[in-house]
Every structure is written in structure tokens, then in C-alpha cells.
Amino acid sequence: MTITCFEVKGHEVNNMAVFKMCGSRLLQCFLLFLCLLSGSGVTAQGTFNWASYYGNHMVLQQGPHRAVLWGYGEVGATVNVSSTSGGFYSTKVYEGYDGRGVWKVTLKPTAYGGPYQFQGVHDNHGMLQWILLKDVMFGDVWVCSGQSNMAFTVRQGFNASYAIAEAADFPDIRLFTAELVQSDKPLYDLDKIMQPWSVATSDSVGGADWKYFSAVCWFFGRDLYNHLGYPIGLVATSWGGTPVEAWSSPQVLKKCNITNREEPEDLQYEGPEVGGPSGHSVLWNAMVHPLLNMTITGAIWYQGEANTGHPDTYSCSFPGMIDSWRKEWYMGTGGQTDAYFPFGFVQLSTTGTPLSTGNLGYPAIRWHQTADYGYVPNPAMPNVFMAVAVDLPDAKSPFGSIHPRDKQDVASRLVLAARAVAYGETDVMFHGPRPVSVDVDVSTKNIDWIYPKAMNITVKSKDGFEVCCSPDLSQCSMTSQEWAPVPIVFHTSSSVTTLVTLILYISDFPLRCAAPQTCPSVP
């Protein structure tokens, strides 16, 4: 039997928990106890470790879900884990997919709160090794992913100084950021970490541009915490300038019949920080797949700009990616993450100046983000919620109009929708007005949009609607130039009337209805 002591500074060790882990090995327990009393512990060097994204200050998923702890050790060794939150867990180290020894324990459901300590003892034929997690909270864990608008940091947005200064008021919000890594094959642990688990402070929230912390992710977590009042863990894993294909598994791409292609994104901002890989599945492999053993509440997503050059497959790839993430997270956590965990996304904002034609791929992506329903949740995207951002443009953004600086409103809308969809609140108004009927008067060329009276809608601009007038509805794709603006000529608190003229214009493109009677086929 070998026990090696080493100095541990600042660790408060629960000696009784260590005795319990040792079971009947009294001599080993006695020696271990001497180590602990002398201010030392059992050696943590060698192969015994937590997985990379477990660390001090982290948040584990609260009950009724069961959090998963896992790590590395010598194949065949016994690993015993105990916690000041209660519970004792014992398991064997087995050979993992990459040949390394892996161990995993599933904790009992634990109510939100903390802080707690977790201690692990690795017994390999009498040689003991010890590891510790400190200041661990239980709460809700949310993953934040996507491209540059998710990577966009608090420091880059509006009112950054105030948001960064107040971060220290939220010590129960904990932050983690994955490093930018791509891989041609699935990884089972993160290769690199940009920001280890950190308590919310001005430093951990106010990192460098495009580094940490994600503005949408932070404001989402902050507003959620203000409403729920218990710990929130935020895991940011995003990379600017990346298409949905990079974040999707090969199975999704095969199902959607997507071949490998590389098309440039209309970035409208030439900073090197937002250019990322576009290879199929390379970020699914390196920045999502490694996290699948971690029990989570849900995920939020801000992406789509990189797909505006080829939007047609997005109505398959994006819902398919959500389905795949859910399936794999459910399996990776042994059923502890919900099979249909809540998934929120930001519908793309507008780009360019108010009078510019813009990229027609943007309205197409907005439509395809909802699997062509125009709203979520829907039959193709259950338990999915959305924040609309089309009314939050930022033509003067120093990071290009593709990167609006108002992330607070985006996050606030995500939280409202999450309260309804993810947390089941029934008294939350989280989506815009949906018409209950659309009536077309060919003689007056008016279209009447009728809304529920309870909505009490307010019209702030007479512009904003478009219609497609064509005898062939197949010509009314989201990227077609058959779409034209129609002004609002009358409105009440529950209706809007738009006027269809025979000649309509978008910038320099004259668009004509083939015949007035075709206009009733407006979608």
C-alpha cells in the first residue's frame, strides 16, 4: 500500500467524508487522516482527475435531474466520491473510447443551493489518490452556443461599463467558456478551455473582446437568476463566422442531404476574430460532443448569418441539429438531461442601413429558423423558444451592422420565452401577435390582418409588411424578388389593413402583380 502526502493550502477537507469513502480499510484511513490533519492530502498527480470542464466554483444541475461527475483513472481501480451535500458513490474505472481509463458517477437529485465540496479517492491496489472540487453550487445549467453574435462579449455591447461593474452582485451565477477548437473526429473531453469555471465578477464577465464573457449568455443568465433566485451555470461554447453544418453531427447532414461546401459569409465586418471553420461537424466534434456527459437544463443559440449565402437547407439542418443535440445529451447523461430539453434561439436581426436592400438570405434564414412555420414552438420544433431581433438593428455598430450591440433586449426576450416554454409559466406574454385570419379584398386591393382582441396591438410604423403577388406560389420563396412592401393604411387595436398596389418597388427592383386576383394567395 502506498499513500503519498502533499501540502494543500486553503483546502477545507471533510475528514469524516473521507473516512466513509475508505470503508473497511482502517489502516489506509488512519494514514489518510494523518495526512489531512497535517495539512496535507493524498497525491492527486498521475491519471486520477476530473474531466476538463469540472472545477471549483462550478454549477451542477439541480434535481429532479441527477448531475453526472466523471473523470479519469487507472483501468480497474475503484473510485469513491462523497460530498458535503450528502451521498456516497463508488464505481470502477473502465476503458473509454480513446483508450483512457474513465469513471463516472450519477449523483442523487439535489435541491438548488450550496456551496458544497466533492471529494474523490482513487484506490488502485492500495495506492490512494485524492482530488477535490470546492465551492460547487446546484442550480440550472444552460449551454450558450452559436457564432459571432453569441461570442460577442459584454464589453462590446451597450452600457458595458455598468453591466461589468454590477457583475459582482451575482456571485451565484457561474461562468465557463470553451476554447476555440475544431476536430475531424468526436472528442470525449474538451481539448482546451478559455475560461475555467468562475464566480461572476467584473473580471470574469468583462474579459477581452470576442473572448469572455458572451453578452447574450450573461444577460440571459442574469435575468433568469433575477427571476428564479437560485444558482445559474452558464457554459459558453461558440465560434464566430461558423455555419450550422460545423455544429451538426454527420447523421444530421446526411439526413438533410448536405454535401461539404464552403461559401463565404457576408460578414460586413472584416475583423479576424469572427472568421471560423466551416468544415462539416468539426465544432460538433470538438466543442459540443465533449460536453454530452454533463447534465443540463437547456441551451440557447445565436447563429445563422454564416448560412445566409445558402439558406435553403437550414429548415432541415437547424431543427435536425436540435433533435440531434437532444438525443445525444440524453444518452450521454444516462437519461438525466431531458430528451426534449428546452432550446432557445435568436431570430436574426437586420443588417445594413434602413434603406438598403440587404441580403435576401436573412429573411430566408429567419423563416427557416422556425422550420417554415413562422413561430415556435411548433410540431417540428417542440419545446423550442425564440427571441425576435428584427427590430433591433445597429447600422452604426463598430463591429459591423451584422453585430448589433443591444444584447440586453435579446436576452430579456429569451428569458420571457424560457419562462413560458422551459419553466412552464402560463401568465407570460412571450411572442408577438399572430393573426387569426387574413382577408383579401380584390376590389380595394386591401389585405385585412385580424388579431385576437386580447392582444391590443400597437402600430408604431406604417411600413414593415411584404407580400408576394404571383400566379405561381413556387415563385414566392423567401429569397425571391417577387416580395414587395405594402403600407399600412388603417389599423385598430386588433386589426391591420395593408394596401396592395399594382406596381410595387424594393429599392431599384420594380415588382408587379401578375394580376390582382392572384394576390389572395398571399402566404
Side-chain angles (χ1 to χ4, degrees), residues 472-501:
D472 183 2
L473 282 180
S474 66
Q475 299 301 310
C476 292
S477 70
M478 295 305 296
T479 55
S480 168
Q481 292 184 347
E482 298 297 320
W483 290 89
V486 290
I488 295 175
V489 294
F490 179 77
H491 63 86
T492 70
S493 62
S494 60
S495 69
V496 169
T497 300
T498 59
L499 175 64
V500 180
T501 59

Side-chain angles (χ1 to χ4, degrees), residues 53-345:
Y53 48 87
Y54 290 87
N56 298 337
H57 317 301
M58 74 178 303
V59 174
L60 292 174
Q61 181 58 46
Q62 67 166 324
H65 307 280
R66 300 174 64 188
V68 175
L69 290 178
W70 73 280
Y72 303 101
E74 292 286 348
V75 175
T78 298
V79 172
N80 296 313
V81 177
S82 70
S83 169
T84 56
S85 65
F88 173 75
Y89 312 90
S90 184
T91 188
K92 288 284 189 179
V93 181
Y94 60 92
E95 185 173 333
Y97 290 102
D98 57 1
R100 296 181 66 181
V102 174
W103 58 270
K104 182 188 298 185
V105 295
T106 302
L107 309 181
K108 68 178 183 179
T110 305
Y112 67 79
Y116 299 111
Q117 285 189 162
F118 284 85
Q119 300 167 97
V121 173
H122 178 275
D123 184 348
N124 187 23
H125 302 293
M127 185 176 74
L128 301 183
Q129 293 177 298
W130 168 81
I131 54 178
L132 179 69
L133 287 177
K134 300 186 300 178
D135 188 31
V136 176
M137 309 296 285
F138 280 87
D140 283 350
V141 180
W142 284 86
V143 172
C144 308
S145 189
Q147 58 177 111
S148 54
N149 270 308
M150 185 61 82
F152 191 96
T153 58
V154 174
R155 184 171 294 278
Q156 295 171 270
F158 287 137
N159 303 314
S161 297
Y162 176 79
I164 291 170
E166 73 161 1
D169 296 336
F170 300 94
D172 285 349
I173 302 178
R174 309 299 175 85
L175 317 173
F176 179 93
T177 305
E179 184 57 271
L180 309 183
V181 177
Q182 59 178 312
S183 175
D184 292 331
K185 62 180 181 179
L187 305 181
Y188 291 87
D189 199 358
L190 292 175
D191 187 57
K192 296 179 181 178
I193 294 170
M194 182 182 297
Q195 179 189 31
W197 280 104
S198 305
V199 177
T201 65
S202 58
D203 291 333
S204 62
V205 170
D209 292 359
W210 307 111
K211 295 298 183 181
Y212 58 82
F213 193 69
S214 161
V216 171
C217 193
W218 166 250
F219 291 124
F220 175 81
R222 184 200 65 181
D223 290 358
L224 199 60
Y225 174 83
N226 280 335
H227 180 68
L228 298 174
Y230 56 70
I232 300 293
L234 301 172
V235 179
T237 176
S238 53
W239 194 333
T242 53
V244 70
E245 292 84 358
W247 298 96
S248 302
S249 69
Q251 293 78 12
V252 172
L253 303 179
K254 181 179 180 180
K255 179 181 178 181
C256 295
N257 194 29
I258 297 176
T259 57
N260 211 340
R261 61 187 168 203
E262 295 188 9
E263 298 185 29
E265 177 188 359
D266 180 19
L267 290 175
Q268 305 175 32
Y269 171 67
E270 299 302 326
E273 303 90 347
V274 299
S278 59
H280 281 190
S281 305
V282 294
L283 302 183
W284 156 257
N285 290 337
M287 297 181 69
V288 177
H289 193 272
L291 302 173
L292 297 181
N293 288 338
M294 179 173 58
T295 308
I296 64 173
T297 295
I300 59 173
W301 174 262
Y302 197 158
Q303 189 276 336
E305 299 89 345
N307 287 91
T308 56
H310 48 90
D312 291 344
T313 57
Y314 205 84
S315 60
C316 178
S317 58
F318 181 47
M321 187 202 78
I322 296 173
D323 290 344
S324 172
W325 282 27
R326 286 170 164 172
K327 175 184 177 182
E328 297 296 335
W329 237 297
Y330 175 81
M331 295 176 60
T333 57
Q336 298 309 314
T337 297
D338 287 343
Y340 291 93
F341 66 75
F343 191 104
F345 69 89

Side-chain angles (χ1 to χ4, degrees), residues 42-58:
V42 183
T43 180
Q45 61 186 340
T47 57
F48 185 43
N49 275 303
W50 311 105
S52 67
Y53 48 87
Y54 290 87
N56 298 337
H57 317 301
M58 74 178 303

Side-chain angles (χ1 to χ4, degrees), residues 370-435:
T370 65
D372 300 348
Y373 279 83
Y375 61 88
V376 290
N378 61 55
M381 304 177 76
N383 217 27
V384 173
F385 57 95
M386 171 177 70
V388 174
V390 70
D391 61 328
L392 301 173
D394 188 3
K396 296 182 179 180
S397 172
F399 309 100
S401 64
I402 196 172
H403 299 121
R405 287 166 289 176
D406 183 359
K407 305 305 187 192
Q408 291 96 325
D409 282 324
V410 167
S412 176
R413 294 173 184 183
L414 278 173
V415 169
L416 280 176
R419 286 170 56 188
V421 176
Y423 292 94
E425 297 184 25
T426 58
D427 58 348
V428 178
M429 184 64 68
F430 69 98
H431 56 72
R434 300 179 193 169

